Each structure stands twice: as structure tokens, then as C-alpha cells.
Amino acid sequence: MSERAASPSAFQKRNHSAAFRTGLLLSCIALTLLLLANGAPTLPPPTTVLEYLLRDLMEVQQKLKTVSERMKKYELYIPSNTSSMSDLQCFTKELNPVVGALKYESKDAQTIQEHINNINETVNSLTGTETTQCHYATKMKIEGFFKEFVSFSRKLRALTQ
């Protein structure tokens, strides 16, 4: 009988386990509040996000060297009067047809499509969901389009530093 009195009952074990989980949860909440109160960033700064964008843009540029000649002749509109972060959307609007055409024109189509998806997501994180009115100046072959996109992104990065 002394053995039985010394061992905790199933009810006591459950209560101890629930108390332990509640303690962990409260500790996590306290840590989160502490980090937020002390200014821990909740989102990376625009400069860092633009670095991610540039990395994906340059990867696409590199991969475009392997696309078919027909795809290299593909033309995209270049936005005019680009000056703000929201103008990045004008570039990404032009990318949607590229994704569809690539599956027939490149052995690296899947990789390029993944980078284009990353580009779209990155731009959305920078600009939000509000759409921008775009004005387009001219058409350029796909390689020139990406050079312009990279150049504009670098300009934005320099402005945010």
C-alpha cells in the first residue's frame, strides 16, 4: 500500500502536464512581447528584401541564356517614369505571360518559373496589395527587360540605404 500512495495518480500526471504546457505557452508569449517591445524587426528592411529580389532577377537573367532563340525574341513592355517602390508591380505584370511561355521554350523552365514566383512574392511584400497604374514606354526583348528590371531594383536599393 505504501507503493501505491507514493506513485502519482493519472489525474495528477495530467494536471502536471497541463500546467507545464501552460507555463511554456506563457513563456513564449512573454518572450514575443519582450522582443516586440524592444524593437525587434517583424519584417526585414526594404534594402534586404530588395537584395532577395535582385538575387532572383540575376538568376533569371543567367538562366535565360539557355532558352530557345524564339524565347529570346519574346518582347515585354518596359514601364515608363519608374521612380517608386510601387512601380515594381509594373515589371511583374509583364512576367505573367513569360511563365506560361517558358514551359515550351527552356529546359530550365521550372527553375526560372520558381524564381519568377519568388520575384512576384517579393514585390508584393514590398508594395502591398494595392495595384499601381502602369504606363509603358516601349517593348524590349526579354534580356533587355530583365536588365532594366535589375537596374531599377538597384536604383531603389540605393535609395533605401
Side-chain angles (χ1 to χ4, degrees):
M1 181 141 175
S2 63
E3 284 181 40
R4 189 173 183 142
S7 69
S9 69
F11 177 75
Q12 288 172 326
K13 286 181 184 178
R14 276 192 299 248
N15 280 345
H16 178 70
S17 177
F20 179 74
R21 282 182 277 170
T22 303
L24 279 176
L25 178 63
L26 291 173
S27 296
C28 289
I29 290 170
L31 180 59
T32 302
L33 291 173
L34 178 69
L35 288 172
L36 288 173
N38 288 325
T42 54
L43 293 173
T47 306
T48 305
V49 177
L50 284 165
E51 288 294 330
Y52 298 140
L53 176 63
L54 282 164
R55 195 174 313 142
D56 282 315
L57 284 169
M58 290 188 276
E59 276 295 319
V60 171
Q61 269 186 314
Q62 191 66 29
K63 295 288 184 187
L64 284 174
K65 294 176 181 173
T66 66
V67 299
S68 70
E69 287 304 312
R70 188 168 87 176
M71 190 69 192
K72 288 179 183 176
K73 293 177 185 174
Y74 198 87
E75 292 185 328
L76 301 162
Y77 286 100
I78 300 293
S80 60
N81 302 324
T82 53
S83 60
S84 69
M85 202 72 79
S86 62
D87 293 323
L88 288 168
Q89 286 182 350
C90 298
F91 281 98
T92 59
K93 285 178 183 178
E94 286 295 293
L95 293 178
N96 293 332
V98 173
V99 173
L102 273 170
K103 61 183 161 191
Y104 304 109
E105 303 294 335
S106 173
K107 62 182 175 142
D108 290 326
Q110 175 109 17
T111 305
I112 296 170
Q113 287 171 342
E114 287 171 11
H115 286 293
I116 289 174
N117 288 340
N118 290 344
I119 290 166
N120 285 327
E121 288 177 24
T122 304
V123 168
N124 287 340
S125 76
L126 286 166
T127 62
T129 57
E130 190 174 318
T131 56
T132 302
Q133 181 68 32
C134 300
H135 301 281
Y136 296 96
T138 103
K139 273 184 156 181
M140 251 187 212
K141 289 191 167 91
I142 197 164
E143 187 177 333
F145 173 85
F146 277 95
K147 282 182 185 176
E148 288 290 322
F149 200 167
V150 166
S151 174
F152 178 61
S153 299
R154 284 183 174 148
K155 180 177 134 184
L156 287 174
R157 181 186 61 189
L159 290 173
T160 59
Q161 288 180 334

